[in-house]
Amino acid sequence: MIPFVDLKAQYASVKDEVLPAIEEVLSSCQFTLGSAVAAFEKAFAAYCGVEHAIAVNSGTSALHLALLVAGVGPGDEVITTPFTFVATAAAIHYCGARTVFVDIDPRSFTIDPSQIEAAITPRTKAILPVHLYGQPADMKPILEIARRHDLLVVEDAAQAHGAEYDGVRVGSLGDMGCFSFYPGKNLGAYGEGGMVTTNDAERARVICMLRDWGAERKYEHVLKGYNYRMEGFQGAVLGIKLRHLEAWTEGRRAAAARYDRLLAGSGVPTPEAMPYSRHVYHIYAIRTARREAWQAALNAQGVQTGIHYPYPIHLLPAYADLGYKRGRFPHSEKAAAEVLSLPMFPELMAAQCETVAEAVTRLARADRLVDPL
Ligand SMILES: *Cc1c(COP(=O)(O)O)cnc(C)c1O
């Protein structure tokens, strides 16, 4: 069996470092925030090349607080894409604002900058590009549009720790960056976690208050805040894992390069790394019109796959109230129908990539025999 992700392999490789760090949290009893979280914030800010990083309890909380601090509230609009995890739109909804979708560029799976300006209205407050699958959105034109229209840019970098745009790390490109440390993400906690990054000291200060009940000092609540604090255990684990992130990212990039090579000439569309990007391959998604059949066949051969994501948000029942109809975002809808995520994790071995690529190539060949094009 080749799993889609293998968290056990990674735990085995860091167990000797992680256990004493967890024991330290236990003996210090700093279970929420505390010195391990503060140390991780400092290290993560340096990793992203920003002045401030504020740890919270999930990527969703990070998005929620970043949007609040961007001034997003009832009556406002935030522009993003429908081809993302539901949390992106949920965070906009939590602020009482309206989600305005713009279709993706089908080559990169990220927001198409050429369609953003048509979606801007007097109510638009922010643009929320998603660095989907570990590839940065095309930030240069996005930042130019934002500057022209006086909008803030909040990056959804939940899938893109360490990804770079023209050599600059995500999380430092826009006004704020939001990361998730959900266990399956490129940098994963042993539980839930998230982070907001920014170079703006005042925004950082307000986010620090909002994550901890809006208190300036204990019991002095100057804002209506939230319980979004990061747990001490997660800060300790993430601080250790961050030291390995670059090596793990190179493991992912090597596996992706191997897939690219093995699938070249198979006729199967493989992910395109755009010229501006250091892609960190949270997801390696191929495309096929016969996705469900391929997924079943691969599963029968012991190859686990995933689908990220089977529905664009505008077609989900929960977001039907936004009023978008099928056909409105054709590239997102086509991607949602065709993408299939191959096994991808840093410890994926060359032989495993070969097994997966051979199985995919056989499926593509069999399809051509049935339906030659
Ligand atoms: C995982 C994810 C989130 C939410 O992060 P959580 O830590 O699960 O709350 C937001 N946006 C995207 C694109 C994600 O992949």
Side-chain angles (χ1 to χ4, degrees):
M1 192 78 197
I2 302 177
F4 172 64
V5 286
D6 184 359
L7 299 181
K8 287 182 182 151
Q10 191 168 92
Y11 176 57
S13 76
V14 293
K15 184 176 177 181
D16 291 345
E17 293 172 86
V18 162
L19 288 181
I22 287 183
E23 160 42 42
E24 225 173 278
V25 174
L26 282 169
S27 44
S28 73
C29 292
Q30 293 187 354
F31 295 119
T32 183
L33 296 178
S35 55
V37 171
F40 173 56
E41 287 177 328
K42 200 156 173 263
F44 196 75
Y47 179 79
C48 294
V50 294
E51 295 284 320
H52 309 278
I54 306 98
V56 292
N57 63 346
S58 75
T60 309
S61 302
L63 286 166
H64 184 194
L65 295 189
L67 291 172
L68 283 177
V69 167
V72 173
D76 293 332
E77 294 176 356
V78 177
I79 293 173
T80 190
T81 80
F83 192 56
T84 176
F85 183 58
V86 71
T88 312
I92 299 168
H93 171 73
Y94 295 168
C95 297
R98 180 184 160 77
T99 304
V100 172
F101 289 128
V102 164
D103 209 354
I104 54 167
D105 177 333
R107 291 170 304 164
S108 64
F109 297 107
T110 58
I111 194 166
D112 179 355
S114 73
Q115 297 191 46
I116 291 178
E117 277 192 296
I120 293 174
T121 76
R123 291 166 178 258
T124 308
K125 259 284 170 38
I127 307 174
L128 179 45
V130 182
H131 306 316
L132 199 78
Y133 296 165
Q135 167 142 267
D138 191 0
M139 292 299 287
K140 191 162 178 256
I142 294 170
L143 291 167
E144 271 165 21
I145 292 164
R147 205 171 308 122
R148 233 180 1 258
H149 294 268
D150 197 21
L151 306 173
L152 289 189
V153 175
V154 176
E155 301 169 62
D156 184 338
Q159 304 188 356
H161 320 68
E164 292 171 9
Y165 183 91
D166 282 342
V168 180
R169 287 262 159 96
V170 301
S172 72
L173 297 157
D175 296 285
M176 284 171 275
C178 300
F179 293 84
S180 165
F181 305 119
Y182 182 78
K185 298 285 161 80
N186 286 25
L187 179 60
Y190 292 158
E192 307 274 350
M195 189 78 86
V196 183
T197 54
T198 184
N199 282 315
D200 186 306
E202 178 55 18
R203 288 193 187 114
R205 190 183 73 85
V206 176
I207 291 169
C208 263
M209 286 198 285
L210 286 175
R211 76 168 165 187
D212 196 8
W213 292 119
E216 209 155 39
R217 281 167 297 277
K218 196 158 187 164
Y219 303 127
E220 293 179 25
H221 304 279
V222 295
L223 296 167
K224 292 191 182 74
Y226 301 84
N227 177 357
Y228 282 175
R229 296 176 299 254
M230 177 177 274
E231 291 189 348
F233 288 131
Q234 306 312 336
V237 168
L238 288 164
I240 284 164
K241 291 182 77 173
L242 180 60
R243 300 179 205 147
H244 300 274
L245 182 57
E246 277 306 286
W248 288 335
T249 298
E250 286 310 318
R252 287 176 182 274
R253 288 169 52 78
R258 197 166 280 124
Y259 276 145
D260 285 349
R261 213 160 47 236
L262 293 164
L263 291 171
S266 68
V268 178
T270 53
E272 204 170 324
M274 306 306 281
Y276 48 71
S277 82
R278 181 201 190 205
H279 197 318
V280 296
Y281 295 99
H282 174 57
I283 298 285
Y284 187 98
I286 59 167
R287 281 176 178 264
T288 161
R290 300 212 323 124
R291 197 234 334 258
E292 272 62 34
W294 282 31
Q295 185 168 42
L298 289 169
N299 198 47
Q301 295 170 60
V303 176
Q304 253 183 17
T305 55
I307 299 174
H308 304 88
Y309 297 90
Y311 308 102
I313 297 179
H314 68 290
L315 299 183
L316 288 172
Y319 288 87
D321 61 341
L322 292 175
Y324 294 113
K325 296 287 180 280
R326 187 179 292 278
R328 177 70 196 278
F329 304 109
H331 294 306
S332 295
E333 292 170 27
K334 192 159 189 288
E338 292 186 348
V339 289
L340 182 64
S341 313
L342 301 185
M344 175 52 74
F345 48 92
E347 299 80 8
L348 191 66
M349 288 177 293
Q352 293 176 306
C353 289
E354 280 159 24
T355 305
V356 173
E358 277 163 23
V360 168
T361 303
R362 274 197 303 275
L363 285 165
R365 199 176 300 134
D367 277 7
R368 275 200 300 279
L369 291 177
V370 177
D371 185 16
L373 237 156

